[in-house]
Amino acid sequence: MAREYVVENNDFSEFERLTLDRVDRNGTHYYTDCKCPKCGGTGNIYYYAHVEGGVCFLCGGSGVHPTQVIVRRAEYQRELDAKRLERARKAAPAVNAAFLEREGFSKDGKTYIVLGDTYAIREDLKAAGAKFSYNLGWHFPEPNPNYATREITKDTIVFQNDEETVTVLRELTNGMLDWPYDVYYLQEYVKRLQEEYKASLMPETKFFGELGQKVELTLALDRRSFFDTQWGSTAIYAFTDAEDHHFIWKTASWPDALTKVNEGDSIVLKGTIKEHNEYKGCKQTVLTRCKIVA
């Protein structure tokens, strides 16, 4: 496989060590690099010494493996890029139409994705006429009042995350964005819509108290989990109070009293507020140096 480079100011001095095969009419230089690209010309790869003594399989230990090197002038490379963009722009309408049809958009370039956890209701969605695709998930050709949906049009999915590309394409197409759509941008856009919908369903949470404040609280145990580190195992306890404040306590001491507490049970806990953070849209108050009172 050829290696390609671009040089500014027609400076090919960096490639003088290579064998020059020819120069075409556009000033593109074609070289042959005889040094094996895998072993660097040594014929041996020391970190594979346990396999056949580390001999390089690409060059067979000779250190020689001819590779074509193509070096273009910067001016010519820009011409090629402009031509490539122009060809893609002309082909874009047909490419886009096929892409949108394949992804489940209607003839007028619209579809309505189903928001939320659709896995549990997939059979109901199928019976209601929804279609499934890898990039869109479950979606309807028309709005369905029985489900939470969000309209997506062909104009809302193009290059959502690439403002630089949009700017370049507007200049090249005189303000018309008819560049071919990309599956990656469609996936990212749908993913963001689903995350925004999930966040909108979450109850509003607030932080509790001030940093450094010592507190004594009556809390209900929501869940517990454990993870191992190089210093040992750590337990994470998640609590809520009567006003739906969320608390986190990380400890390596594993209090015996908590081993007898089931999820949903209440305890009285003394501690100090260490920090406020946010996890998946939920505001959490982190406690430290805690002690179980009752």
Side-chain angles (χ1 to χ4, degrees), residues 83-94:
K83 290 178 180 179
R84 188 178 298 113
L85 288 172
E86 182 62 20
R87 288 196 300 270
R89 187 190 68 79
K90 291 180 179 179

mmCIF file with all atom_site columns, all heavy atoms in Angstrom, residues 83-94:
data_model
loop_
_atom_site.group_PDB
_atom_site.id
_atom_site.type_symbol
_atom_site.label_atom_id
_atom_site.label_alt_id
_atom_site.label_comp_id
_atom_site.label_asym_id
_atom_site.label_entity_id
_atom_site.label_seq_id
_atom_site.pdbx_PDB_ins_code
_atom_site.Cartn_x
_atom_site.Cartn_y
_atom_site.Cartn_z
_atom_site.occupancy
_atom_site.B_iso_or_equiv
_atom_site.pdbx_formal_charge
_atom_site.auth_seq_id
_atom_site.auth_comp_id
_atom_site.auth_asym_id
_atom_site.auth_atom_id
_atom_site.pdbx_PDB_model_num
ATOM 1  N N   . LYS A 1 83 ? -11.796 19.185 -6.520  1.00 0.00 ? 83 LYS A N   1
ATOM 2  C CA  . LYS A 1 83 ? -12.481 18.356 -7.514  1.00 0.00 ? 83 LYS A CA  1
ATOM 3  C C   . LYS A 1 83 ? -13.264 17.234 -6.846  1.00 0.00 ? 83 LYS A C   1
ATOM 4  O O   . LYS A 1 83 ? -14.377 16.905 -7.261  1.00 0.00 ? 83 LYS A O   1
ATOM 5  C CB  . LYS A 1 83 ? -11.458 17.776 -8.498  1.00 0.00 ? 83 LYS A CB  1
ATOM 6  C CG  . LYS A 1 83 ? -10.836 18.806 -9.426  1.00 0.00 ? 83 LYS A CG  1
ATOM 7  C CD  . LYS A 1 83 ? -9.807  18.160 -10.338 1.00 0.00 ? 83 LYS A CD  1
ATOM 8  C CE  . LYS A 1 83 ? -9.175  19.201 -11.272 1.00 0.00 ? 83 LYS A CE  1
ATOM 9  N NZ  . LYS A 1 83 ? -8.142  18.587 -12.143 1.00 0.00 ? 83 LYS A NZ  1
ATOM 10 N N   . ARG A 1 84 ? -12.673 16.666 -5.797  1.00 0.00 ? 84 ARG A N   1
ATOM 11 C CA  . ARG A 1 84 ? -13.355 15.592 -5.079  1.00 0.00 ? 84 ARG A CA  1
ATOM 12 C C   . ARG A 1 84 ? -14.634 16.116 -4.418  1.00 0.00 ? 84 ARG A C   1
ATOM 13 O O   . ARG A 1 84 ? -15.682 15.468 -4.448  1.00 0.00 ? 84 ARG A O   1
ATOM 14 C CB  . ARG A 1 84 ? -12.408 15.009 -4.032  1.00 0.00 ? 84 ARG A CB  1
ATOM 15 C CG  . ARG A 1 84 ? -12.942 13.747 -3.362  1.00 0.00 ? 84 ARG A CG  1
ATOM 16 C CD  . ARG A 1 84 ? -11.939 13.177 -2.370  1.00 0.00 ? 84 ARG A CD  1
ATOM 17 N NE  . ARG A 1 84 ? -10.705 12.791 -3.030  1.00 0.00 ? 84 ARG A NE  1
ATOM 18 C CZ  . ARG A 1 84 ? -9.537  13.393 -2.838  1.00 0.00 ? 84 ARG A CZ  1
ATOM 19 N NH1 . ARG A 1 84 ? -9.444  14.432 -2.017  1.00 0.00 ? 84 ARG A NH1 1
ATOM 20 N NH2 . ARG A 1 84 ? -8.456  12.988 -3.462  1.00 0.00 ? 84 ARG A NH2 1
ATOM 21 N N   . LEU A 1 85 ? -14.556 17.291 -3.840  1.00 0.00 ? 85 LEU A N   1
ATOM 22 C CA  . LEU A 1 85 ? -15.722 17.893 -3.219  1.00 0.00 ? 85 LEU A CA  1
ATOM 23 C C   . LEU A 1 85 ? -16.806 18.207 -4.250  1.00 0.00 ? 85 LEU A C   1
ATOM 24 O O   . LEU A 1 85 ? -17.991 18.026 -4.004  1.00 0.00 ? 85 LEU A O   1
ATOM 25 C CB  . LEU A 1 85 ? -15.325 19.173 -2.481  1.00 0.00 ? 85 LEU A CB  1
ATOM 26 C CG  . LEU A 1 85 ? -14.522 18.992 -1.192  1.00 0.00 ? 85 LEU A CG  1
ATOM 27 C CD1 . LEU A 1 85 ? -14.029 20.336 -0.691  1.00 0.00 ? 85 LEU A CD1 1
ATOM 28 C CD2 . LEU A 1 85 ? -15.352 18.304 -0.131  1.00 0.00 ? 85 LEU A CD2 1
ATOM 29 N N   . GLU A 1 86 ? -16.376 18.672 -5.423  1.00 0.00 ? 86 GLU A N   1
ATOM 30 C CA  . GLU A 1 86 ? -17.341 19.007 -6.462  1.00 0.00 ? 86 GLU A CA  1
ATOM 31 C C   . GLU A 1 86 ? -18.057 17.758 -6.973  1.00 0.00 ? 86 GLU A C   1
ATOM 32 O O   . GLU A 1 86 ? -19.272 17.764 -7.204  1.00 0.00 ? 86 GLU A O   1
ATOM 33 C CB  . GLU A 1 86 ? -16.631 19.706 -7.615  1.00 0.00 ? 86 GLU A CB  1
ATOM 34 C CG  . GLU A 1 86 ? -17.540 20.146 -8.761  1.00 0.00 ? 86 GLU A CG  1
ATOM 35 C CD  . GLU A 1 86 ? -18.582 21.159 -8.342  1.00 0.00 ? 86 GLU A CD  1
ATOM 36 O OE1 . GLU A 1 86 ? -18.394 21.819 -7.287  1.00 0.00 ? 86 GLU A OE1 1
ATOM 37 O OE2 . GLU A 1 86 ? -19.592 21.298 -9.048  1.00 0.00 ? 86 GLU A OE2 1
ATOM 38 N N   . ARG A 1 87 ? -17.316 16.661 -7.147  1.00 0.00 ? 87 ARG A N   1
ATOM 39 C CA  . ARG A 1 87 ? -17.946 15.411 -7.582  1.00 0.00 ? 87 ARG A CA  1
ATOM 40 C C   . ARG A 1 87 ? -18.947 14.924 -6.542  1.00 0.00 ? 87 ARG A C   1
ATOM 41 O O   . ARG A 1 87 ? -20.046 14.470 -6.883  1.00 0.00 ? 87 ARG A O   1
ATOM 42 C CB  . ARG A 1 87 ? -16.873 14.340 -7.828  1.00 0.00 ? 87 ARG A CB  1
ATOM 43 C CG  . ARG A 1 87 ? -16.030 14.574 -9.061  1.00 0.00 ? 87 ARG A CG  1
ATOM 44 C CD  . ARG A 1 87 ? -15.279 13.305 -9.434  1.00 0.00 ? 87 ARG A CD  1
ATOM 45 N NE  . ARG A 1 87 ? -14.379 12.868 -8.364  1.00 0.00 ? 87 ARG A NE  1
ATOM 46 C CZ  . ARG A 1 87 ? -13.111 13.254 -8.243  1.00 0.00 ? 87 ARG A CZ  1
ATOM 47 N NH1 . ARG A 1 87 ? -12.597 14.107 -9.128  1.00 0.00 ? 87 ARG A NH1 1
ATOM 48 N NH2 . ARG A 1 87 ? -12.359 12.793 -7.257  1.00 0.00 ? 87 ARG A NH2 1
ATOM 49 N N   . ALA A 1 88 ? -18.553 15.015 -5.279  1.00 0.00 ? 88 ALA A N   1
ATOM 50 C CA  . ALA A 1 88 ? -19.462 14.572 -4.220  1.00 0.00 ? 88 ALA A CA  1
ATOM 51 C C   . ALA A 1 88 ? -20.697 15.461 -4.154  1.00 0.00 ? 88 ALA A C   1
ATOM 52 O O   . ALA A 1 88 ? -21.806 14.990 -3.893  1.00 0.00 ? 88 ALA A O   1
ATOM 53 C CB  . ALA A 1 88 ? -18.739 14.567 -2.884  1.00 0.00 ? 88 ALA A CB  1
ATOM 54 N N   . ARG A 1 89 ? -20.518 16.760 -4.383  1.00 0.00 ? 89 ARG A N   1
ATOM 55 C CA  . ARG A 1 89 ? -21.653 17.683 -4.343  1.00 0.00 ? 89 ARG A CA  1
ATOM 56 C C   . ARG A 1 89 ? -22.653 17.351 -5.443  1.00 0.00 ? 89 ARG A C   1
ATOM 57 O O   . ARG A 1 89 ? -23.874 17.357 -5.220  1.00 0.00 ? 89 ARG A O   1
ATOM 58 C CB  . ARG A 1 89 ? -21.172 19.125 -4.501  1.00 0.00 ? 89 ARG A CB  1
ATOM 59 C CG  . ARG A 1 89 ? -22.273 20.166 -4.308  1.00 0.00 ? 89 ARG A CG  1
ATOM 60 C CD  . ARG A 1 89 ? -21.814 21.542 -4.708  1.00 0.00 ? 89 ARG A CD  1
ATOM 61 N NE  . ARG A 1 89 ? -21.594 21.636 -6.143  1.00 0.00 ? 89 ARG A NE  1
ATOM 62 C CZ  . ARG A 1 89 ? -22.551 21.785 -7.051  1.00 0.00 ? 89 ARG A CZ  1
ATOM 63 N NH1 . ARG A 1 89 ? -23.812 21.861 -6.676  1.00 0.00 ? 89 ARG A NH1 1
ATOM 64 N NH2 . ARG A 1 89 ? -22.265 21.857 -8.325  1.00 0.00 ? 89 ARG A NH2 1
ATOM 65 N N   . LYS A 1 90 ? -22.169 17.032 -6.637  1.00 0.00 ? 90 LYS A N   1
ATOM 66 C CA  . LYS A 1 90 ? -23.059 16.696 -7.743  1.00 0.00 ? 90 LYS A CA  1
ATOM 67 C C   . LYS A 1 90 ? -23.783 15.374 -7.505  1.00 0.00 ? 90 LYS A C   1
ATOM 68 O O   . LYS A 1 90 ? -24.942 15.205 -7.909  1.00 0.00 ? 90 LYS A O   1
ATOM 69 C CB  . LYS A 1 90 ? -22.259 16.629 -9.042  1.00 0.00 ? 90 LYS A CB  1
ATOM 70 C CG  . LYS A 1 90 ? -21.745 17.984 -9.515  1.00 0.00 ? 90 LYS A CG  1
ATOM 71 C CD  . LYS A 1 90 ? -20.963 17.852 -10.815 1.00 0.00 ? 90 LYS A CD  1
ATOM 72 C CE  . LYS A 1 90 ? -20.469 19.220 -11.294 1.00 0.00 ? 90 LYS A CE  1
ATOM 73 N NZ  . LYS A 1 90 ? -19.684 19.098 -12.548 1.00 0.00 ? 90 LYS A NZ  1
ATOM 74 N N   . ALA A 1 91 ? -23.096 14.436 -6.846  1.00 0.00 ? 91 ALA A N   1
ATOM 75 C CA  . ALA A 1 91 ? -23.715 13.135 -6.591  1.00 0.00 ? 91 ALA A CA  1
ATOM 76 C C   . ALA A 1 91 ? -24.590 13.135 -5.351  1.00 0.00 ? 91 ALA A C   1
ATOM 77 O O   . ALA A 1 91 ? -25.354 12.190 -5.127  1.00 0.00 ? 91 ALA A O   1
ATOM 78 C CB  . ALA A 1 91 ? -22.624 12.069 -6.437  1.00 0.00 ? 91 ALA A CB  1
ATOM 79 N N   . ALA A 1 92 ? -24.497 14.211 -4.553  1.00 0.00 ? 92 ALA A N   1
ATOM 80 C CA  . ALA A 1 92 ? -25.170 14.236 -3.253  1.00 0.00 ? 92 ALA A CA  1
ATOM 81 C C   . ALA A 1 92 ? -26.682 14.025 -3.316  1.00 0.00 ? 92 ALA A C   1
ATOM 82 O O   . ALA A 1 92 ? -27.219 13.265 -2.503  1.00 0.00 ? 92 ALA A O   1
ATOM 83 C CB  . ALA A 1 92 ? -24.857 15.543 -2.533  1.00 0.00 ? 92 ALA A CB  1
ATOM 84 N N   . PRO A 1 93 ? -27.421 14.673 -4.217  1.00 0.00 ? 93 PRO A N   1
ATOM 85 C CA  . PRO A 1 93 ? -28.883 14.476 -4.202  1.00 0.00 ? 93 PRO A CA  1
ATOM 86 C C   . PRO A 1 93 ? -29.302 13.013 -4.316  1.00 0.00 ? 93 PRO A C   1
ATOM 87 O O   . PRO A 1 93 ? -30.162 12.552 -3.569  1.00 0.00 ? 93 PRO A O   1
ATOM 88 C CB  . PRO A 1 93 ? -29.346 15.297 -5.419  1.00 0.00 ? 93 PRO A CB  1
ATOM 89 C CG  . PRO A 1 93 ? -28.311 16.366 -5.545  1.00 0.00 ? 93 PRO A CG  1
ATOM 90 C CD  . PRO A 1 93 ? -27.022 15.710 -5.186  1.00 0.00 ? 93 PRO A CD  1
ATOM 91 N N   . ALA A 1 94 ? -28.691 12.280 -5.235  1.00 0.00 ? 94 ALA A N   1
ATOM 92 C CA  . ALA A 1 94 ? -29.046 10.871 -5.395  1.00 0.00 ? 94 ALA A CA  1
ATOM 93 C C   . ALA A 1 94 ? -28.591 10.052 -4.193  1.00 0.00 ? 94 ALA A C   1
ATOM 94 O O   . ALA A 1 94 ? -29.315 9.170  -3.716  1.00 0.00 ? 94 ALA A O   1
ATOM 95 C CB  . ALA A 1 94 ? -28.409 10.314 -6.678  1.00 0.00 ? 94 ALA A CB  1
#
